[in-house]
């Protein structure tokens, strides 16, 4: 089962950008659908962006046009490019992997957007 480690979170001003990375260990990374979820204080965890094994992408309405999910199977890494960040994007961002073999979550990385 794949193990996931996120990086790239931090503090940024509104309108700024961040790129999150999710490094996966183990084999068969290309067989996993990858996703980024986020959880703001007092709110439920929600899916922000998903990329399938074929490269199809899906976004929550709240991030569409501002966030881009991508993957590099050669590097066993998924990315989330976040542009035009808003204070309401403040949350812990989690990487998620899903395949027939099972699912995995990363430990999360904090993103804070100041107004």
């Amino acid at each position: 089962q794949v193990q996931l480690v996120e990086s790239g979170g931090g503090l940024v001003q509104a309108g700024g950008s961040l790129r999150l990375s999710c490094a996966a260990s183990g084999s068969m990374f290309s067989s996993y659908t990858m996703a980024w979820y986020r959880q703001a204080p007092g709110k439920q965890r929600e899916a922000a962006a998903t990329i399938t094994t074929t490269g199809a992408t899906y976004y929550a309405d709240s991030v569409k046009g501002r966030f881009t999910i991508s993957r590099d199977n050669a590097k066993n890494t998924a990315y989330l490019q976040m542009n035009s960040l808003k204070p309401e994007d403040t949350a812990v961002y989690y990487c998620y992997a899903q395949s027939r073999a099972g699912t995995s979550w990363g430990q999360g990385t904090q993103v804070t957007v100041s107004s």
Side-chain angles (χ1 to χ4, degrees):
Q1 197 164 353
V2 68
Q3 295 182 331
L4 307 172
V5 177
E6 302 100 332
S7 62
L11 174 64
V12 64
Q13 288 188 334
S17 298
L18 283 175
R19 188 175 82 153
L20 306 183
S21 298
C22 173
S25 63
S27 61
M28 302 297 290
F29 174 77
S30 61
S31 68
Y32 284 83
T33 287
M34 302 299 297
W36 287 94
Y37 280 72
R38 65 184 185 179
Q39 187 167 19
K43 295 188 176 181
Q44 288 188 330
R45 192 173 296 189
E46 64 174 5
T50 302
I51 185 166
T52 69
T53 57
T54 61
T57 57
Y58 304 91
Y59 298 94
D61 288 343
S62 57
V63 308
K64 202 171 294 183
R66 300 186 299 120
F67 290 11
T68 302
I69 189 171
S70 61
R71 65 191 300 160
D72 186 336
N73 291 337
K75 295 183 178 180
N76 282 10
T77 303
Y79 304 95
L80 185 67
Q81 177 67 44
M82 305 185 294
N83 299 328
S84 302
L85 282 162
K86 305 175 181 180
E88 51 263 43
D89 294 319
T90 295
V92 178
Y93 283 72
Y94 297 91
C95 184
Y96 173 76
Q98 179 181 23
S99 78
R100 293 181 180 178
T103 62
S104 293
W105 288 95
Q107 82 288 352
T109 185
Q110 177 70 47
V111 171
T112 303
V113 184
S114 64
S115 57

